Amino acid sequence: MSSNAKGPLVKRHRLSTRVWHWTNMVAIFLLIGSGATIFNAHPRLYWGEYGANFDPAWLVIDDRQSATGPRGFVNIGGAEFDTTGVLGVFEKGGETRMRAFPHWVTIPAEYSLSAGRRYHLLGAWIFGVAGFVYFFWSLFNRHIQRDLIPRKWQLTPACVRADIKNHIKLNFIHSGTEKYSLLQKLSYAGVILVILPVLVATGLTMSPNMNAAWPWLLDIFGGRQSARSLHFIAAFLLIAFIFVHLILVVLAGPYNEIRSMITGKLRLPAGDGR
Amino acid sequence: MTSRRTVLTGIGACLMLPGCERIGKTKPVHDLLYSLDGLTMRAQRLVTARGALAREYTEADLSPRFRVNGTRQPASADYARHQKEGFANWRLNVGGMVRRPLQISLSDLRAMPTRTQITRHDCVEGWSAIGQWTGVQLSRILDFARVSERAKYVLFRCADNYGDTPYYETVDMIEARHPQTILAWGMNGDILSVAHGAPLRLRSERQLGYKHAKYVMGVEAIESFAEIGGGKGGFWEDRSGYDWWAGI
């Protein structure tokens, strides 16, 4: 845990990582909120090439009338959950609204598919260009190879156990030869090398123009509606990552952590000098 | 530590949604948001082939039920009369910047060389349906009418109104002359139904559903759509701010 005794201040994050982090924060904020708006236009997900109201959906967020008024529900593969107040049916300014995602997560707050689509494309352009530059820069300066891919020795059972134990003890900040612990590496590599590329690629397949030119991309995901479902699932996994990320920043000491992402310098615990 | 937390909370609050929307309404951001479809169109056209064909499916892939969207039944007296007559006296008006304006009957359209394609219809809302469409390539009609070289867009005037506002759409010449861009009079092996846009609807297979104008009464070659309707190139573009280029 963060202690009051101060250890040395060490360089932790390079400039490209810091710039990308904050650019992404803005872009992903826009993308998640506007993505929720776009989902609200047709809050049903399918597998395969086609899918519309008469076709079976694996996920539905909707509302139905009941004796006590409208009830919101989520149906995942046949299992139904009442989500009144949060999803499907919610209150806005004393009024009952019936939409999948509520106004406090969507961009814009008042439903507008066209505005949501514009914000989503703005976010996508920022995210896509920044991600492209960062990815190739990080291959070039060997950030991915050196910092993100786990070392062989980190994968030995003893080291895996030690890292899990450190996380359980909330002991996050460490010195040593590696910038990131094994669990950190696995989650960052999973996001940067799997989740984000899936989001970009499935996002591109939402374009009928791209699908005409690059049909193989749609084939990878098993059709237009499968790609739409995978886009949503990948976004959900990214949100889960962001939640854990924010919780860990708070547990590891928010001042030190946020400073390290602004100035690049991280303070190590006392007695943990290198 | 407490004061630092307060500062951080403040930064978080600034990022909340209403603030974001206020930024979105400032002129530079508004202009940026409305220029993105042009940027996306140019970028996509840079990396994709002009003539790339949308995937064509087999009959086994057809949606069991193709959802009807938008107008189901145009309300005008004119349309009702044509519908009653089985569109026997109906004519497609081809005009604007053409050297040979035309009035083509439905039977003449059906006698023209046909193209049948099984394609996926992607709605802007997110759903997709696969249907079979039969019709005449728009490029044939444009050539037949000897469209001017100066024409940049093709305008489709439609019989369905939303209130007093007629539906219309425009596509540029790249999409208009695309081999899969057809004026369809048949669907799933039958004559096109009224709910799906009889007597004639546009298929523009590389764009989203709102481009696929139903109840097409007239086709005009134009140089600019600034003076037509609300000036944004289509009914939903005017009414709700949808992007003119609907390739994504």
Side-chain angles (χ1 to χ4, degrees), chain B residues 24-40:
Chain B
K25 279 175 184 144
T26 60
K27 192 166 174 357
V29 179
H30 178 272
D31 291 350
L32 174 67
L33 287 169
Y34 276 78
S35 65
L36 286 172
D37 71 321
L39 173 69
T40 309

Side-chain angles (χ1 to χ4, degrees), chain A residues 160-173:
Chain A
V160 174
R161 263 199 306 277
D163 193 36
I164 292 173
K165 214 180 277 174
N166 271 335
H167 275 80
I168 292 170
K169 288 195 311 207
L170 306 182
N171 182 14
F172 301 114
I173 299 181

Side-chain angles (χ1 to χ4, degrees), chain A residues 157-233:
Chain A
C159 286
V160 174
R161 263 199 306 277
D163 193 36
I164 292 173
K165 214 180 277 174
N166 271 335
H167 275 80
I168 292 170
K169 288 195 311 207
L170 306 182
N171 182 14
F172 301 114
I173 299 181
H174 54 92
S175 59
T177 55
E178 295 302 304
K179 275 188 183 172
Y180 303 130
S181 69
L182 176 67
L183 294 185
Q184 260 180 311
K185 284 185 173 190
L186 290 177
S187 51
Y188 290 143
V191 168
I192 291 174
L193 303 177
V194 181
I195 294 179
L196 300 187
V198 165
L199 278 166
V200 172
T202 51
L204 279 175
T205 63
M206 294 302 97
S207 159
N209 191 60
M210 291 305 296
N211 292 339
W214 299 2
W216 50 269
L217 193 56
L218 203 53
D219 287 341
I220 293 175
F221 302 115
R224 171 60 149 61
Q225 289 300 323
S226 291
R228 183 169 175 262
S229 290
L230 291 171
H231 194 69
F232 186 85
I233 290 168

Side-chain angles (χ1 to χ4, degrees), chain B residues 33-96:
Chain B
L33 287 169
Y34 276 78
S35 65
L36 286 172
D37 71 321
L39 173 69
T40 309
M41 179 184 81
R42 284 190 293 276
Q44 284 207 9
R45 284 183 173 170
L46 206 62
V47 299
T48 60
R50 281 288 150 94
L53 296 178
R55 169 165 291 169
E56 296 194 15
Y57 299 85
T58 67
E59 284 184 25
D61 305 315
L62 287 171
S63 286
R65 190 165 161 189
F66 199 112
R67 173 185 161 170
V68 170
N69 206 40
T71 305
R72 293 163 174 270
Q73 171 69 57
S76 77
D78 255 5
Y79 186 88
R81 181 170 52 81
H82 285 308
Q83 189 179 339
K84 212 170 136 195
E85 295 166 355
F87 302 99
N89 298 310
W90 172 87
R91 298 287 182 274
L92 174 70
N93 287 302
V94 183

Side-chain angles (χ1 to χ4, degrees), chain A residues 29 42 49-51 53-54 104 109 113-114 117-119 125 207-209 211-213 218-219 224-225 255, chain B residues 4 15 17 21 24 33 40 44 48 53 55 57 64-65 67 120 125-128 240-243 247-248:
Chain A
F29 176 79
H42 189 76
E49 276 285 13
Y50 65 80
N53 306 54
F54 303 114
W104 42 268
L113 176 57
S114 68
R117 281 166 47 81
R118 286 178 196 281
Y119 282 115
W125 269 108
S207 159
N209 191 60
N211 292 339
L218 203 53
D219 287 341
R224 171 60 149 61
Q225 289 300 323
Y255 176 72
Chain B
R4 279 168 194 154
L15 285 169
L17 305 175
E21 276 179 59
L33 287 169
T40 309
Q44 284 207 9
T48 60
L53 296 178
R55 169 165 291 169
Y57 299 85
R65 190 165 161 189
R67 173 185 161 170
R120 196 187 65 240
E125 292 172 351
W127 53 268
S128 306
S240 301
Y242 283 115
D243 304 285
I248 187 161

Side-chain angles (χ1 to χ4, degrees), chain B residues 4-248:
Chain B
R4 279 168 194 154
R5 285 230 173 92
T6 317
V7 170
L8 293 174
T9 316
I11 293 170
C14 290
L15 285 169
M16 274 164 57
L17 305 175
C20 174
E21 276 179 59
R22 235 171 285 133
I23 297 167
K25 279 175 184 144
T26 60
K27 192 166 174 357
V29 179
H30 178 272
D31 291 350
L32 174 67
L33 287 169
Y34 276 78
S35 65
L36 286 172
D37 71 321
L39 173 69
T40 309
M41 179 184 81
R42 284 190 293 276
Q44 284 207 9
R45 284 183 173 170
L46 206 62
V47 299
T48 60
R50 281 288 150 94
L53 296 178
R55 169 165 291 169
E56 296 194 15
Y57 299 85
T58 67
E59 284 184 25
D61 305 315
L62 287 171
S63 286
R65 190 165 161 189
F66 199 112
R67 173 185 161 170
V68 170
N69 206 40
T71 305
R72 293 163 174 270
Q73 171 69 57
S76 77
D78 255 5
Y79 186 88
R81 181 170 52 81
H82 285 308
Q83 189 179 339
K84 212 170 136 195
E85 295 166 355
F87 302 99
N89 298 310
W90 172 87
R91 298 287 182 274
L92 174 70
N93 287 302
V94 183
M97 298 165 71
V98 298
R99 270 171 227 112
R100 183 162 54 177
L102 303 166
Q103 292 212 311
I104 316 176
S105 71
L106 194 53
S107 54
D108 284 348
L109 281 168
R110 286 179 187 150
M112 288 176 81
T114 60
R115 191 179 203 286
T116 294
Q117 58 204 32
I118 299 178
T119 52
R120 196 187 65 240
H121 179 97
D122 295 326
C123 179
V124 65
E125 292 172 351
W127 53 268
S128 306
I130 296 179
Q132 185 198 55
W133 305 96
T134 300
V136 53
Q137 285 173 317
L138 181 62
S139 62
R140 283 184 194 276
I141 293 176
L142 296 177
D143 289 341
F144 198 43
R146 292 168 55 205
V147 65
S148 159
E149 305 270 295
R150 286 186 298 118
K152 288 205 177 90
Y153 305 96
V154 177
L155 162 70
F156 304 90
R157 293 196 187 272
C158 305
D160 52 332
N161 285 356
Y162 285 76
D164 289 335
T165 315
Y167 200 92
Y168 75 100
E169 259 304 339
T170 56
V171 298
D172 65 11
M173 283 297 168
I174 292 173
E175 294 308 321
R177 290 198 166 279
H178 186 263
Q180 287 171 321
T181 300
I182 63 173
L183 288 170
W185 45 259
M187 179 191 179
N188 289 349
D190 282 324
I191 295 298
L192 187 65
S193 67
V194 168
H196 281 293
L200 209 57
R201 83 173 290 173
L202 176 69
R203 298 295 311 164
S204 177
E205 304 292 359
R206 299 191 297 186
Q207 301 205 66
L208 297 173
Y210 61 88
K211 281 281 161 185
H212 302 219
K214 292 155 79 170
Y215 316 107
V216 173
M217 299 287 118
V219 173
E220 286 172 36
I222 55 174
E223 202 172 3
S224 156
F225 49 71
E227 302 294 317
I228 293 156
K232 301 223 175 78
F235 172 79
W236 287 117
E237 290 87 329
D238 291 338
R239 169 73 58 98
S240 301
Y242 283 115
D243 304 285
W244 173 76
W245 188 70
I248 187 161

